[in-house]
Amino acid sequence: KAGVTQTPRYLIKTRGQQVTLSCSPISGHRSVSWYQQTPGQGLQFLFEYFSETQRNKGNFPGRFSGRQFSNSRSEMNVSTLELGDSALYLCASSRASSGNTIYFGEGSWLTVV
Amino acid sequence: ELKVEQNPLFLSMQEGKNYTIYCNYSTTSDRLYWYRQDPGKSLESLFVLLSNGAVKQEGRLMASLDTKARLSTLHITAAVHDLSATYFCAVDEIQGAQKLVFGQGTRLTINP
């Protein structure tokens, strides 16, 4: 059974640019969530999607956005990149209801220079 | 605002010893997750605890949940070097949706 797949794995961007990260959840999983991990702030929730609808959003500026497609695949976008956006971005998927195991992908390492 | 606190944040121990990592959280929830992260890697799910008094064990690791005390523990028995990693607890904040609030992580180093 394939796990959560994230692309690209590594990328370097310049300040002011934008970036799009992609996530394919485990087959049958309809909930997809995104997290940012940095040494200073730890793991922080970005947003969660279910059936193409954003159900929850974390405390991040509007430059961070996402969407989910009908096949449950998800993308997140960060516009006008700042140095502080350098982080590991993790996508997670689970079945619909609470209490199910939440599986994480390998992550996308973003460096902003 | 839900807060999740782990202690200790750093733990160095010898092989063969036992130790416990504590995870306190600030609001009522009965959905508690434990993850392991190796350097440069993603999060590996260890346990999902869903009710007061829940106890789960896998190999040398055992996790428990006390929802009344808002406390979960991860107990390591007879540690081995392969268990060296960072361990995170996380609380699912919202019933019916997936929004994990993570602790700071406990960096565990097990020395031969």
Side-chain angles (χ1 to χ4, degrees):
Chain A
K1 184 176 180 180
V4 180
T5 304
Q6 291 187 244
T7 57
R9 292 291 320 281
Y10 305 92
L11 64 167
I12 300 174
K13 291 286 188 178
T14 304
R15 272 185 302 175
Q17 287 186 314
Q18 74 160 11
V19 66
T20 299
L21 308 178
S22 180
C23 173
S24 294
I26 293 171
S27 178
H29 287 191
R30 296 168 65 190
S31 171
V32 175
S33 49
W34 290 87
Y35 293 81
Q36 181 196 65
Q37 185 175 25
T38 60
Q41 299 298 316
L43 281 152
Q44 294 185 287
F45 172 81
L46 281 157
F47 23 67
E48 186 240 355
Y49 289 88
F50 177 77
S51 292
E52 302 179 68
T53 299
Q54 186 182 87
R55 291 202 291 193
N56 294 288
K57 189 176 193 303
N59 295 324
F60 280 82
R63 300 185 296 109
F64 292 80
S65 63
R67 58 178 175 168
Q68 186 181 34
F69 302 96
S70 59
N71 61 359
S72 293
R73 193 176 68 83
S74 177
E75 289 181 347
M76 68 162 283
N77 184 276
V78 187
S79 62
T80 319
L81 284 165
E82 301 177 358
L83 295 179
D85 297 332
S86 296
L88 175 64
Y89 289 89
L90 292 164
C91 172
S93 78
S94 69
R95 295 191 184 278
S97 55
S98 291
N100 287 290
T101 302
I102 300 173
Y103 296 92
F104 283 80
E106 292 294 314
S108 293
W109 289 91
L110 171 65
T111 301
V112 182
V113 297
Chain B
E1 179 188 346
L2 169 61
K3 293 189 185 303
V4 181
E5 294 188 351
Q6 290 181 232
N7 72 85
L9 299 185
F10 299 91
L11 178 55
S12 180
M13 52 194 290
Q14 287 189 312
E15 281 190 329
K17 300 292 187 182
N18 304 331
Y19 210 81
T20 300
I21 299 170
Y22 297 89
C23 174
N24 290 92
Y25 55 98
S26 62
T27 191
T28 57
S29 175
D30 56 2
R31 298 175 303 283
L32 193 292
Y33 300 74
W34 284 97
Y35 288 90
R36 167 182 172 149
Q37 187 176 41
D38 292 298
K41 302 292 186 180
S42 186
L43 298 171
E44 175 190 353
S45 177
L46 295 175
F47 302 108
V48 182
L49 303 170
L50 299 177
S51 61
N52 186 41
V55 177
K56 290 194 174 180
Q57 183 164 4
E58 181 73 35
R60 301 176 188 274
L61 301 178
M62 183 173 71
S64 65
L65 178 61
D66 182 342
T67 59
K68 294 178 182 176
R70 303 178 186 176
L71 170 68
S72 180
T73 61
L74 180 66
H75 188 73
I76 302 150
T77 302
V80 293
H81 179 70
D82 286 353
L83 291 178
S84 297
T86 299
Y87 293 85
F88 292 93
C89 66
V91 177
D92 190 354
E93 185 174 24
I94 301 174
Q95 177 76 34
Q98 314 285 15
K99 180 182 179 183
L100 296 182
V101 178
F102 282 85
Q104 312 96 308
T106 296
R107 185 178 298 178
L108 174 63
T109 303
I110 299 170
N111 305 302

